[in-house]
């Protein structure tokens, strides 16, 4: 009777997953129609039309402006666009209040003519600050919800000072992008642009190449649905916000302190010990990456007096305990201790390190707690110079959950020998130290104690748990069915 009853439960669960998959696909299709919108912005182009800019080149600048505008959400409550033209004098070509739609705006851009005199870039920035970004010209009152952006295009050295006026403009909340063409003075671009400079300064060899910057500036004003694009690191659930996101967990799980990871057993205690290869083949710069990787995993643990404890052991030709289990009971102190770990260099005695784990790290004298799950995380970048088989086997026989992580010249057969079953969940390899971040995301340390539903003394408790789960699933299935129906009606 029991096996058949459990099969019914499994079928219901599979049905629920299928329905959930359907709704997720339909939601993804709906989101794909518009993953990116432009945030409300007061945007002013400040365009150099001095005599060094030929008429044909100025036409290419206008094409660039038109293409950037084409990617914007132009409107009184969205993005407002103005254009300032300058040479020895400054001329307001288009004010922020002049056009409510793209068609009229791009037509006005096409009619702008070059001034063909000197290059007074500082004067142009001052004009933008005093006039173009004024409320009288259509700029909105300064607020966190509206961006103020100036894009300066110039091809020469200014005949006046730009540093001080650019500082005043930035202090007033205007984000400045500086585009240089041809023989432009690069120091001038850096004096004008906002920080970080690498994101706010661009250079092209000629005006014929300026169009290639179009995509960058369309994306600069873009607010992406980061959940839909996958540009997030939430372990389970991603919730979109304008230009941002926050993580959440599925029902019954708890969001960890790192704001990304989830735990089904937030109150479970576990003892975790890192065995870290400090041999000379790792190299100092990569050893720093290894320490960052350790701290990424620490961020996912619920470190506390009654929860996760962490120990750290480094090995090369010898084994050195950096700190035992339980010495640090908060993440701040623990991560600082990891950062202070000094690089040993020399050989690779992985077998000796595993024996140290067995004989020392998980003993009561070194801080291990009785009745608490034990997890070993072994990192190496090369072949062991001693035998690992017996120690690796004994660690798993003792009930330790063993993870094996290899980089570069690590031997994958050795990693598999260290890893617990199922090996696919406990063994990781990458050729590049810089890719270790991806391993830290995949490595999930599960410290839950699983119940055996077949044990006679727990079957009644298990039945009650499943009945409660079925009721919850039924309610969810009803909700999903309603959502599918609503989507189908919209599609029709």
């Amino acid at each position: 009777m029991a096996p058949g009853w459990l099969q019914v439960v499994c079928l219901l669960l599979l049905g629920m997953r299928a329905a959930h998959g359907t709704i997720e696909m339909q939601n993804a299709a709906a989101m794909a129609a518009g993953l990116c919108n432009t945030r409300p912005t007061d945007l002013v182009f400040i365009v150099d039309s001095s005599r060094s800019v030929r008429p044909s080149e100025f036409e290419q600048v206008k094409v660039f402006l038109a293409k950037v505008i084409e990617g914007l959400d132009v409107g009184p409550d969205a993005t407002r666009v103005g254009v300032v033209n300058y040479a020895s004098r400054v001329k307001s070509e288009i004010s922020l209040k002049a056009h409510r739609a793209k068609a009229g705006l791009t037509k006005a851009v096409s009619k702008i003519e070059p001034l063909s005199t000197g290059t007074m870039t500082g004067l142009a920035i001052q004009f933008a600050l005093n006039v173009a970004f004024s409320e009288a010209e259509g700029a909105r009152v300064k607020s966190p919800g509206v961006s103020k952006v100036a894009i300066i295009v110039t091809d020469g050295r200014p005949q006046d000072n730009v540093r001080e006026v650019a500082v005043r403009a930035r202090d007033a909340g205007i984000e400045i992008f500086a585009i240089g063409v041809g023989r432009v003075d690069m120091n001038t671009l850096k004096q004008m642009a906002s920080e970080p400079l690498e994101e706010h300064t661009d250079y092209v060899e000629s005006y014929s190449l300026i169009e290639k910057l179009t995509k960058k500036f369309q994306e600069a004003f873009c607010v992406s649905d980061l959940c839909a694009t996958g540009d997030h690191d939430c372990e389970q659930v991603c919730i979109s916000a304008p230009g941002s996101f926050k993580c959440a967990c599925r029902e019954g799980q708890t969001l960890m302190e790192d704001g990304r990871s989830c735990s089904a057993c937030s109150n479970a205690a576990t003892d975790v010990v890192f065995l870290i290869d400090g041999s000379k083949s790792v190299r100092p710069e990569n050893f720093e990456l290894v320490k960052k990787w350790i701290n990424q995993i620490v961020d996912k643990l619920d470190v506390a007096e009654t929860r996760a404890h962490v120990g750290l052991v480094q090995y090369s030709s010898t084994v050195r305990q950096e700190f035992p289990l339980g010495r640090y009971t908060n993440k701040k102190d623990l991560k600082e201790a990891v950062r202070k770990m000094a690089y040993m260099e020399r050989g690779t005695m992985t077998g000796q390190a595993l024996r140290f784990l067995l004989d020392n790290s998980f003993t009561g004298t070194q801080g291990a707690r009785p009745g608490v799950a034990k997890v070993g995380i072994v990192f190496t970048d090369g072949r062991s110079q001693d035998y690992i088989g017996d120690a690796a086997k004994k660690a798993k026989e003792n009930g330790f959950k063993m993870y094996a992580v290899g980089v570069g010249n690590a031997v994958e057969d050795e990693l598999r020998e260290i890893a617990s079953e199922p090996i696919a969940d406990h063994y990781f390899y990458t050729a590049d130290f810089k890719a270790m971040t991806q391993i830290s995301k995949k490595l999930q340390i599960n410290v839950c104690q699983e119940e055996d539903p077949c044990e006679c003394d727990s079957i009644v408790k298990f039945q009650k748990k499943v009945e409660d789960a079925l009721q919850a699933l039924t309610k969810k299935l009803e909700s999903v069915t309603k959502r599918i129906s609503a989507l189908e009606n919209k599609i029709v």
Side-chain angles (χ1 to χ4, degrees):
M1 295 270 311
W5 180 65
L6 290 173
Q7 285 176 348
V8 172
V9 174
C10 291
L11 287 170
L12 283 169
L13 288 170
L14 288 171
M16 178 64 192
R17 286 180 182 174
H20 183 66
T22 300
I23 194 76
E24 281 188 340
M25 285 189 289
Q26 291 183 348
N27 283 343
M31 287 188 293
L35 297 180
C36 178
N37 296 305
T38 54
R39 59 180 175 266
T41 304
D42 288 344
L43 168 63
V44 174
F45 292 96
I46 304 173
V47 182
D48 178 357
S49 68
S50 57
R51 64 174 65 93
S52 60
V53 183
R54 300 183 184 93
S56 61
E57 293 173 333
F58 194 70
E59 290 301 312
Q60 290 169 329
V61 174
K62 292 193 292 184
V63 170
F64 165 69
L65 266 58
K67 288 195 172 183
V68 173
I69 291 167
E70 186 59 35
L72 303 177
D73 183 14
V74 174
D77 298 321
T79 299
R80 303 179 185 180
V81 179
V83 180
V84 171
N85 186 10
Y86 79 94
S88 294
R89 62 189 179 91
V90 181
K91 181 181 179 183
S92 177
E93 299 284 1
I94 302 170
S95 71
L96 291 169
K97 65 183 179 181
H99 296 279
R100 294 172 170 263
K102 291 181 190 177
L105 180 57
T106 53
K107 186 176 180 180
V109 168
S110 69
K111 293 181 178 180
I112 299 174
E113 296 293 332
L115 301 174
S116 300
T117 50
T119 311
M120 302 293 283
T121 310
L123 183 64
I125 298 172
Q126 187 68 59
F127 181 89
L129 178 60
N130 293 344
V131 180
F133 280 106
S134 69
E135 291 181 47
E137 290 295 293
R140 283 162 283 195
V141 176
K142 185 178 178 181
S143 73
V146 179
S147 302
K148 307 285 185 182
V149 178
I151 300 178
I152 303 172
V153 182
T154 182
D155 79 332
R157 185 185 297 273
Q159 296 170 330
D160 57 354
N161 184 278
V162 300
R163 185 194 297 272
E164 292 180 4
V165 67
V167 169
R168 289 197 296 273
R170 295 193 300 266
D171 288 345
I174 300 172
E175 182 180 11
I176 301 177
F177 291 87
I179 301 175
V181 183
R183 292 175 296 176
V184 71
D185 178 50
M186 295 302 296
N187 286 328
T188 299
L189 295 184
K190 293 175 182 177
Q191 289 173 13
M192 294 188 293
S194 296
E195 295 284 352
L197 291 177
E198 61 271 17
E199 294 180 12
H200 290 83
T201 54
D202 288 280
Y203 172 79
V204 291
E205 293 180 357
S206 67
Y207 281 101
S208 62
L209 300 174
I210 197 169
E211 278 188 51
K212 74 177 186 179
L213 298 177
T214 301
K215 184 178 179 183
K216 170 191 169 170
F217 284 99
Q218 287 176 339
E219 291 177 350
F221 303 110
C222 176
V223 178
S224 295
D225 184 340
L226 299 178
C227 293
T229 59
D231 191 17
H232 65 87
D233 54 359
C234 296
E235 182 181 322
Q236 292 185 2
V237 179
C238 179
I239 300 172
S240 293
S244 184
F245 67 91
K246 64 179 180 179
C247 301
C249 300
R250 291 190 285 268
E251 187 175 347
Q253 301 215 16
T254 303
L255 190 67
M256 303 291 281
E257 287 182 15
D258 63 4
R260 302 184 300 271
S261 309
C262 298
S263 173
C265 313
S266 59
N267 295 319
T270 183
D271 289 340
V272 180
V273 174
F274 289 89
L275 288 185
I276 300 301
D277 181 354
S279 59
K280 60 185 176 185
S281 60
V282 174
R283 299 204 300 270
E285 64 273 19
N286 289 331
F287 194 70
E288 292 303 310
L289 294 176
V290 173
K291 291 195 284 187
K292 289 181 180 179
W293 173 77
I294 294 170
N295 280 339
Q296 286 172 340
I297 297 173
V298 168
D299 275 331
K300 299 171 71 172
L301 298 174
D302 194 7
V303 178
E305 181 68 43
T306 59
R307 299 181 186 178
H309 287 187
V310 176
L312 178 60
V313 173
Q314 185 184 173
Y315 70 93
S316 57
S317 298
T318 58
V319 180
R320 182 175 76 201
Q321 179 170 262
E322 302 291 344
F323 52 82
L325 288 162
R327 175 173 291 178
Y328 304 104
T329 55
N330 65 79
K331 288 185 184 180
K332 181 181 177 182
D333 293 343
L334 177 57
K335 291 168 71 174
E336 183 61 28
V338 172
R339 282 190 284 267
K340 289 180 178 177
M341 176 171 56
Y343 179 33
M344 291 176 70
E345 301 190 50
R346 295 186 291 174
T348 310
M349 304 294 281
T350 312
Q352 187 178 344
L354 287 166
R355 287 190 292 276
F356 185 91
L357 182 80
L358 287 164
D359 299 337
N360 296 279
S361 297
F362 284 135
T363 62
T365 57
Q366 295 300 317
R369 294 166 290 179
V372 169
K374 306 290 189 290
V375 177
I377 302 175
V378 182
F379 165 81
T380 182
D381 86 323
R383 181 185 295 274
S384 177
Q385 295 172 335
D386 60 352
Y387 181 62
I388 68 167
D390 290 343
K393 182 180 178 183
K394 190 173 180 182
K396 289 178 283 190
E397 287 176 348
N398 284 0
F400 305 161
K401 182 173 286 190
M402 300 297 295
Y403 291 87
V405 179
V407 177
N409 295 319
V411 179
E412 295 191 56
D413 285 344
E414 290 185 354
L415 299 176
R416 293 188 186 96
E417 193 169 5
I418 294 169
S420 293
E421 294 287 348
I423 291 175
D425 293 339
H426 297 85
Y427 143 76
F428 304 91
Y429 173 81
T430 179
D432 186 1
F433 277 87
K434 293 179 181 177
M436 291 180 69
T437 298
Q438 298 305 314
I439 291 178
S440 69
K441 290 179 181 179
K442 294 176 183 176
L443 196 154
Q444 304 295 330
I445 300 174
N446 177 18
V447 297
C448 299
Q449 300 297 319
E450 298 180 359
E451 289 188 56
D452 182 358
C454 297
E455 288 185 7
C456 294
D457 59 353
S458 65
I459 192 66
V460 174
K461 181 180 177 182
F462 178 70
Q463 278 183 291
K464 179 66 170 63
K465 188 179 292 186
V466 171
E467 286 170 1
D468 292 343
L470 281 173
Q471 289 180 1
L473 285 171
T474 301
K475 291 180 180 178
K476 286 185 179 180
L477 190 56
E478 290 173 355
S479 175
V480 169
T481 302
K482 290 178 181 178
R483 290 175 67 191
I484 292 173
S485 298
L487 280 171
E488 288 174 345
N489 291 334
K490 287 182 180 180
I491 293 170
V492 173

